Amino acid sequence: MKIGIIGAGFVGSTAAFAMVMAGSASEIVLVDANEALARAQAHDIAHAIPFARPTVVRHGDYPELAGAGVVVLSAGVAQRPGETRLQLLERNARVFGAIIPRALAAAPDAILLVASNPVDVMTQVATRISGLPRSRVLGSGTVLDTARFRALLGERLGVTPKSVHAHVVGEHGDSEVLLWSGADAAGMPIDTFAAQTGRPLTDDDRAAIDRGVRRAAYTIIEGKGHTAFGIAGGLARLVDAIAGDERTVLTCSILNDNVLGVPEVALSLPRVLGAGGVQQTVMPHLSDAEAAALRRSAEILKEAAASVEATL
């Protein structure tokens, strides 16, 4: 599958590299307002192809996106000193208003995959601007948060994260919800597995894992100024699922008709992902506390999106 990536900065270029190493695409085209940056990133990534699967990696302008099955949107502007979150959202919405029509003019059948933050609100903005079916406009959402949750649980339990099933839903951000009630390993509740393996989960363990998931981005940004590798892996995984029509369940964000009484809001839930984008959404089992937290997350996102959509 041919993949277009608009925005060749840290996230876009690292995602392109991850897709090359995973063999996710037959061709990747990097598009950026800074053509020299896109060219340099494409050349640098192309030099890794002998160590991976054959992939054509090049830079180009919007017409070169023709035939792309997925277009990743990782473009955006940085927050200015003293600028409010809403002002930043409004500027990024204007960026999307400029790039999405040009991308779809070249690749009208593409699925849009939003990586720009705040990803849930930007997914809602992209859906409105594009006019595409909601199933074809998805954000990376909590796919990375879910991976972090499983990684930390696996570390605590002494098993590979691939043997742990647990999800993070809601906002990709401070109000996200870790679904402890549905977490399992070896087909049994996570607490049962932990007890049987001699590694019981204490309240302190749960609190530490929650902090580790919820504060991960802050910790990484404090150390190096940005995040890239984790989200790049998540984007490559989402592209794999689409390209291979895997019909696998991943937590990603789309504009939902209604979430626990909150209408028209984009956030993450487990989705069946394959050719054509999101094929089905699954509402997981929620404890009363988790349901209340998810509703609150939806309300926060709804309020933020409503302010931006009024400017579109």
Side-chain angles (χ1 to χ4, degrees), residues 175-198:
S175 71
E176 65 190 20
V177 184
L178 281 66
L179 300 185
W180 286 95
S181 67
D184 73 76
M188 64 185 75
I190 204 71
D191 284 327
T192 304
F193 180 87
Q196 285 198 26
T197 56

Side-chain angles (χ1 to χ4, degrees), residues 149-159 164-166 178-185 188-210:
F149 189 18
R150 293 178 180 181
L152 290 175
L153 269 174
E155 180 181 349
R156 176 65 186 82
L157 297 173
V159 298
V164 176
H165 294 89
L178 281 66
L179 300 185
W180 286 95
S181 67
D184 73 76
M188 64 185 75
I190 204 71
D191 284 327
T192 304
F193 180 87
Q196 285 198 26
T197 56
R199 295 171 177 261
L201 287 166
T202 66
D203 289 342
D204 286 344
D205 291 330
R206 287 171 177 259
I209 290 171
D210 186 283

